[in-house]
Each structure stands twice: as C-alpha cells, then as structure tokens.
Amino acid sequence: MVECCGNNHPECKTWAPEYKKAAQKAKDTKKPYTFVKINILQNPGITKTLSANKFPALRLFVNGILILYSGNNTADALLAFMENKTGPQSTLLSTPEEFQAVLNKKGLRCILATNKTEIVMQYMDLAREYEDVTFYHAPISLTKEAIKEVTEENSLALLRDFDEQLVVLSRPTMSRKQFQDFIRNNEYPLVAPCKEKIFETVYRDEKPRTGIMLFRNKEADGSEALDTEFKELATEFQSINYTFVLGNAKDDCKKYTDYEGIEEKDLPIMQIVLMKDKQEERYLYRGPFTGKTMKEFFNDWKKGKAKRFYKSEEIPASNPGPVFKLVGKSFDKEVMGSDKNVLVKFYAPWCKHCKLLAPIYEDICLLYTSPSPRDLSTSRMPSSA
C-alpha cells in the first residue's frame, strides 16, 4: 500500500494517524502487507505512474497491478479494502444449480470458462481492479451447458441487465489491456443514466470518452419521443469512444446540471463534452429538437463546425487599460488570437493574496506598457468569469 502526499498538506496530516494505525493493525495480525509513503512533491516523476493528482492518494499494488483506493479515510476501511483485493477474486461454480443462481442474479457478472488453473490465476489478478463486477469461473463443460453461446475454452461471458444481456469474448489472451477493454466497452448501457461512474468515463478515465448528453424534464410533453430519437442517435453512432447519457435534470442529473449552471428554463438541452489536456471543451445545442436536428448538431461537431461554449460573463462594454478584464467569451480572441505576448493574471475576487497582489500587478503592467506600448498586453481574469 502506497500513500502519496505532499509537504504539510492538511488532508494528509488528518489522514496520517489512520494510515499509521492501519499499518500497525496489519503488523499485529501478521498480515503480509507492506505500507510505504511517498512525498509526491519531492518525487514528481512518479505522479503519472501512480495517477496521484490529489492528496492523499492511496494506491494498492497486488502482483504488480495498480488498484486505486477511494473509500473512507479510516484504518478499518482501508484494511477491509486490502483484505478484499488480496483475497480470491473469483468464485468457482461447480454445479448446474450454482451456475443457474448466478444467471438469475442482477448486476454485472463475468464468468470464465476454463479447466486451466494458471488461466484462473491470471483472471483473478485482472479482476482485482473492479468494484462493480462480480467474477466467477467454471469448467468449460458446465459453462457450455448453461450458456450455449460459449463454444470455446478460456472464453469470457459478461452477463448484463441491459441492452444485449450476454457478451462473449472467445479465447482471450488475458492481457490486461484486452481485459480492461472488454469490461470497459460493455459495463454500461448504450444510453446510460446519470451516475458518478458514468461521468468518470468522460472526465476522469485515463483515456476519457467524449460525452454526448441530453438533459430534459422527464414529465414534459414530448419527452418520450425525444428519448426515442436520442437513443436512435446513440445506436447509429455508437462507439467505444463515446458515452451517451440521458438524464432527468430535475432528478438523477440535478447535481450535475446545477454544477454546469443548466436551469429548468434551458431544458431540453444537449451537450457534447470532451477533455483535452485535462481541460473541458463543451458544445451546446438548445433546439429545436428532432432526430434530424440532433444528428446535424452531432455531425457539425465531428466536422469541427460546432461553436465551443464558454461558461462566461458578458464581455465588458467598457474595458479601460492598462490591465484589461478578460472573460471566457473574449479569451480566445484577446489571448490566443493576439499578435502580442499576453500576460494574464488569474485570480478569485474573494482571495486575500490576490487582493494584495492587485496593486503590484497593476504597477508592473504600467511599467511594461507605458509610456509607449510594447509588444505586450496585460490582462486579468477572474477564475469565475
């Protein structure tokens, strides 16, 4: 178990006693665990390897496989997680009755059909990374009897409660990438509901997908027809690179739409979201809504014709220098499209340090832009603008 922290970080200080307590408990109970600590600020090169972009970040390595911990910051919760991830990750199905019970269950269930112990061990190691999938293994003869679509040894069968309810991967190589792709490409419905795990595929995955999202009031007139047309759009353009989301802005998606500033008067609204270099790009479509117009918007985005949306204040009517105020709508033109070098101060209006810096920044800007303008433009931009 690796704890990634920074110098004097307050949350790291809060967590430190629990981490130490977990290590002591593991030692007292003779668990075969090793606990280590890394100062990320002093070892920045390892940040990407550990996917440690916030503090504290806890990473478990089991047989060389990296597993992210996202549970409660308590010693007991951490030890329970480690116990779960270091133990057997798959249950053996040895009778038709046991197999049938799994087929009758709900949720994502993955079954490996094999008679080879070494394949089962590889499978268990790969399974450690997943929280929302239950893993099983069974002899090939028993699996063939229960699932007719499985015809070859070492095949994987993924059972789902949505869309095509059985997906089979025949004779996988059991490479980590192939296994990840198989689960990742089949673990969600083609058109998914608003859930944190769904949004992670767009915003936080190592290889983020593009999110095509439709938010509407489910009780509004025409909502059912709109849903059908959106699902037809998803069916036509389905891809492992896209996540289609259909949500009720007044219910399951309210937290997300509130964050994005989408109000009830804006509904229905369709958006395309993608992450480039960890920066969000958004493209909005406000109607009229038909299957044809949604398809046109999607195709315009694919061709680079859609206009990017900026959550922005209006451009100031009066903007005297030498420190010009920037907002989201003017940033591309005034900064990225400028023929001058541009110095920009990003600040928060409530920030004490920003207020202390303001007169100093203005003096520096005057020095470099007066009395005769140089090849430099100076600006300030509230991070909320």
PDB file of all heavy atoms in Angstrom, residues 30-45:
ATOM      1  N   LYS A  30      -0.335  -9.993  11.760  1.00  0.00           N
ATOM      2  CA  LYS A  30       0.564 -10.749  10.862  1.00  0.00           C
ATOM      3  C   LYS A  30       0.045 -10.834   9.419  1.00  0.00           C
ATOM      4  O   LYS A  30       0.146 -11.875   8.763  1.00  0.00           O
ATOM      5  CB  LYS A  30       0.818 -12.141  11.441  1.00  0.00           C
ATOM      6  CG  LYS A  30       1.593 -12.120  12.762  1.00  0.00           C
ATOM      7  CD  LYS A  30       1.876 -13.518  13.263  1.00  0.00           C
ATOM      8  CE  LYS A  30       2.857 -13.519  14.415  1.00  0.00           C
ATOM      9  NZ  LYS A  30       2.558 -12.588  15.520  1.00  0.00           N
ATOM     10  N   LYS A  31      -0.531  -9.740   8.945  1.00  0.00           N
ATOM     11  CA  LYS A  31      -0.956  -9.682   7.545  1.00  0.00           C
ATOM     12  C   LYS A  31       0.276  -9.455   6.654  1.00  0.00           C
ATOM     13  O   LYS A  31       1.158  -8.674   7.017  1.00  0.00           O
ATOM     14  CB  LYS A  31      -1.949  -8.531   7.327  1.00  0.00           C
ATOM     15  CG  LYS A  31      -3.281  -8.695   8.054  1.00  0.00           C
ATOM     16  CD  LYS A  31      -4.108  -9.805   7.432  1.00  0.00           C
ATOM     17  CE  LYS A  31      -5.483  -9.903   8.092  1.00  0.00           C
ATOM     18  NZ  LYS A  31      -6.240 -11.064   7.575  1.00  0.00           N
ATOM     19  N   PRO A  32       0.329 -10.081   5.508  1.00  0.00           N
ATOM     20  CA  PRO A  32       1.501  -9.930   4.631  1.00  0.00           C
ATOM     21  C   PRO A  32       1.429  -8.654   3.790  1.00  0.00           C
ATOM     22  O   PRO A  32       1.479  -8.690   2.563  1.00  0.00           O
ATOM     23  CB  PRO A  32       1.424 -11.183   3.747  1.00  0.00           C
ATOM     24  CG  PRO A  32      -0.043 -11.456   3.630  1.00  0.00           C
ATOM     25  CD  PRO A  32      -0.648 -11.052   4.958  1.00  0.00           C
ATOM     26  N   TYR A  33       1.282  -7.522   4.484  1.00  0.00           N
ATOM     27  CA  TYR A  33       1.144  -6.252   3.790  1.00  0.00           C
ATOM     28  C   TYR A  33       2.363  -5.373   4.070  1.00  0.00           C
ATOM     29  O   TYR A  33       2.934  -5.406   5.161  1.00  0.00           O
ATOM     30  CB  TYR A  33      -0.098  -5.482   4.265  1.00  0.00           C
ATOM     31  CG  TYR A  33      -1.416  -6.205   4.151  1.00  0.00           C
ATOM     32  CD1 TYR A  33      -2.488  -5.869   4.976  1.00  0.00           C
ATOM     33  CD2 TYR A  33      -1.616  -7.218   3.212  1.00  0.00           C
ATOM     34  CE1 TYR A  33      -3.707  -6.510   4.877  1.00  0.00           C
ATOM     35  CE2 TYR A  33      -2.828  -7.868   3.108  1.00  0.00           C
ATOM     36  CZ  TYR A  33      -3.870  -7.520   3.938  1.00  0.00           C
ATOM     37  OH  TYR A  33      -5.067  -8.164   3.845  1.00  0.00           O
ATOM     38  N   THR A  34       2.719  -4.558   3.092  1.00  0.00           N
ATOM     39  CA  THR A  34       3.771  -3.554   3.270  1.00  0.00           C
ATOM     40  C   THR A  34       3.166  -2.177   3.050  1.00  0.00           C
ATOM     41  O   THR A  34       2.461  -1.957   2.054  1.00  0.00           O
ATOM     42  CB  THR A  34       4.919  -3.778   2.256  1.00  0.00           C
ATOM     43  OG1 THR A  34       5.461  -5.075   2.453  1.00  0.00           O
ATOM     44  CG2 THR A  34       6.013  -2.733   2.452  1.00  0.00           C
ATOM     45  N   PHE A  35       3.426  -1.258   3.982  1.00  0.00           N
ATOM     46  CA  PHE A  35       2.921   0.110   3.879  1.00  0.00           C
ATOM     47  C   PHE A  35       4.089   1.054   3.623  1.00  0.00           C
ATOM     48  O   PHE A  35       5.091   1.016   4.349  1.00  0.00           O
ATOM     49  CB  PHE A  35       2.211   0.520   5.180  1.00  0.00           C
ATOM     50  CG  PHE A  35       0.902  -0.186   5.413  1.00  0.00           C
ATOM     51  CD1 PHE A  35       0.875  -1.490   5.893  1.00  0.00           C
ATOM     52  CD2 PHE A  35      -0.299   0.446   5.153  1.00  0.00           C
ATOM     53  CE1 PHE A  35      -0.322  -2.155   6.119  1.00  0.00           C
ATOM     54  CE2 PHE A  35      -1.504  -0.211   5.366  1.00  0.00           C
ATOM     55  CZ  PHE A  35      -1.523  -1.508   5.848  1.00  0.00           C
ATOM     56  N   VAL A  36       3.966   1.885   2.594  1.00  0.00           N
ATOM     57  CA  VAL A  36       5.019   2.857   2.311  1.00  0.00           C
ATOM     58  C   VAL A  36       4.396   4.235   2.085  1.00  0.00           C
ATOM     59  O   VAL A  36       3.185   4.362   1.879  1.00  0.00           O
ATOM     60  CB  VAL A  36       5.850   2.456   1.073  1.00  0.00           C
ATOM     61  CG1 VAL A  36       6.541   1.134   1.287  1.00  0.00           C
ATOM     62  CG2 VAL A  36       4.986   2.399  -0.178  1.00  0.00           C
ATOM     63  N   LYS A  37       5.247   5.252   2.124  1.00  0.00           N
ATOM     64  CA  LYS A  37       4.790   6.635   1.964  1.00  0.00           C
ATOM     65  C   LYS A  37       5.715   7.332   0.983  1.00  0.00           C
ATOM     66  O   LYS A  37       6.935   7.184   1.050  1.00  0.00           O
ATOM     67  CB  LYS A  37       4.818   7.335   3.323  1.00  0.00           C
ATOM     68  CG  LYS A  37       4.210   8.727   3.324  1.00  0.00           C
ATOM     69  CD  LYS A  37       4.155   9.252   4.752  1.00  0.00           C
ATOM     70  CE  LYS A  37       3.481  10.622   4.814  1.00  0.00           C
ATOM     71  NZ  LYS A  37       3.338  11.095   6.203  1.00  0.00           N
ATOM     72  N   ILE A  38       5.142   8.106   0.048  1.00  0.00           N
ATOM     73  CA  ILE A  38       5.926   8.842  -0.937  1.00  0.00           C
ATOM     74  C   ILE A  38       5.513  10.308  -0.914  1.00  0.00           C
ATOM     75  O   ILE A  38       4.320  10.627  -0.946  1.00  0.00           O
ATOM     76  CB  ILE A  38       5.721   8.284  -2.359  1.00  0.00           C
ATOM     77  CG1 ILE A  38       6.321   6.881  -2.478  1.00  0.00           C
ATOM     78  CG2 ILE A  38       6.360   9.200  -3.407  1.00  0.00           C
ATOM     79  CD1 ILE A  38       6.142   6.259  -3.841  1.00  0.00           C
ATOM     80  N   ASN A  39       6.517  11.189  -0.825  1.00  0.00           N
ATOM     81  CA  ASN A  39       6.264  12.625  -0.949  1.00  0.00           C
ATOM     82  C   ASN A  39       6.268  12.956  -2.441  1.00  0.00           C
ATOM     83  O   ASN A  39       7.318  12.986  -3.075  1.00  0.00           O
ATOM     84  CB  ASN A  39       7.343  13.424  -0.212  1.00  0.00           C
ATOM     85  CG  ASN A  39       7.008  14.910  -0.172  1.00  0.00           C
ATOM     86  OD1 ASN A  39       6.543  15.480  -1.152  1.00  0.00           O
ATOM     87  ND2 ASN A  39       7.251  15.536   0.975  1.00  0.00           N
ATOM     88  N   ILE A  40       5.089  13.191  -2.982  1.00  0.00           N
ATOM     89  CA  ILE A  40       4.952  13.419  -4.425  1.00  0.00           C
ATOM     90  C   ILE A  40       5.672  14.694  -4.854  1.00  0.00           C
ATOM     91  O   ILE A  40       6.218  14.783  -5.956  1.00  0.00           O
ATOM     92  CB  ILE A  40       3.458  13.489  -4.814  1.00  0.00           C
ATOM     93  CG1 ILE A  40       2.824  12.095  -4.713  1.00  0.00           C
ATOM     94  CG2 ILE A  40       3.280  14.037  -6.218  1.00  0.00           C
ATOM     95  CD1 ILE A  40       3.383  11.087  -5.686  1.00  0.00           C
ATOM     96  N   LEU A  41       5.687  15.710  -3.987  1.00  0.00           N
ATOM     97  CA  LEU A  41       6.331  16.970  -4.352  1.00  0.00           C
ATOM     98  C   LEU A  41       7.836  16.796  -4.510  1.00  0.00           C
ATOM     99  O   LEU A  41       8.475  17.490  -5.293  1.00  0.00           O
ATOM    100  CB  LEU A  41       6.021  18.037  -3.300  1.00  0.00           C
ATOM    101  CG  LEU A  41       4.528  18.363  -3.119  1.00  0.00           C
ATOM    102  CD1 LEU A  41       4.341  19.427  -2.059  1.00  0.00           C
ATOM    103  CD2 LEU A  41       3.918  18.837  -4.437  1.00  0.00           C
ATOM    104  N   GLN A  42       8.407  15.859  -3.770  1.00  0.00           N
ATOM    105  CA  GLN A  42       9.839  15.598  -3.873  1.00  0.00           C
ATOM    106  C   GLN A  42      10.160  14.533  -4.922  1.00  0.00           C
ATOM    107  O   GLN A  42      11.319  14.354  -5.290  1.00  0.00           O
ATOM    108  CB  GLN A  42      10.389  15.161  -2.504  1.00  0.00           C
ATOM    109  CG  GLN A  42      10.335  16.257  -1.457  1.00  0.00           C
ATOM    110  CD  GLN A  42      10.790  15.775  -0.086  1.00  0.00           C
ATOM    111  OE1 GLN A  42      11.161  14.617   0.085  1.00  0.00           O
ATOM    112  NE2 GLN A  42      10.757  16.667   0.890  1.00  0.00           N
ATOM    113  N   ASN A  43       9.123  13.829  -5.377  1.00  0.00           N
ATOM    114  CA  ASN A  43       9.304  12.776  -6.380  1.00  0.00           C
ATOM    115  C   ASN A  43       8.268  12.946  -7.494  1.00  0.00           C
ATOM    116  O   ASN A  43       7.428  12.061  -7.722  1.00  0.00           O
ATOM    117  CB  ASN A  43       9.151  11.391  -5.732  1.00  0.00           C
ATOM    118  CG  ASN A  43      10.160  11.149  -4.631  1.00  0.00           C
ATOM    119  OD1 ASN A  43      11.284  10.743  -4.880  1.00  0.00           O
ATOM    120  ND2 ASN A  43       9.771  11.414  -3.386  1.00  0.00           N
ATOM    121  N   PRO A  44       8.280  14.089  -8.195  1.00  0.00           N
ATOM    122  CA  PRO A  44       7.216  14.386  -9.168  1.00  0.00           C
ATOM    123  C   PRO A  44       7.155  13.407 -10.338  1.00  0.00           C
ATOM    124  O   PRO A  44       6.108  13.232 -10.948  1.00  0.00           O
ATOM    125  CB  PRO A  44       7.567  15.801  -9.656  1.00  0.00           C
ATOM    126  CG  PRO A  44       9.043  15.934  -9.407  1.00  0.00           C
ATOM    127  CD  PRO A  44       9.304  15.147  -8.150  1.00  0.00           C
ATOM    128  N   GLY A  45       8.272  12.749 -10.644  1.00  0.00           N
ATOM    129  CA  GLY A  45       8.290  11.849 -11.788  1.00  0.00           C
ATOM    130  C   GLY A  45       7.383  10.651 -11.649  1.00  0.00           C
ATOM    131  O   GLY A  45       6.978  10.043 -12.640  1.00  0.00           O
TER     132      GLY A  45
END
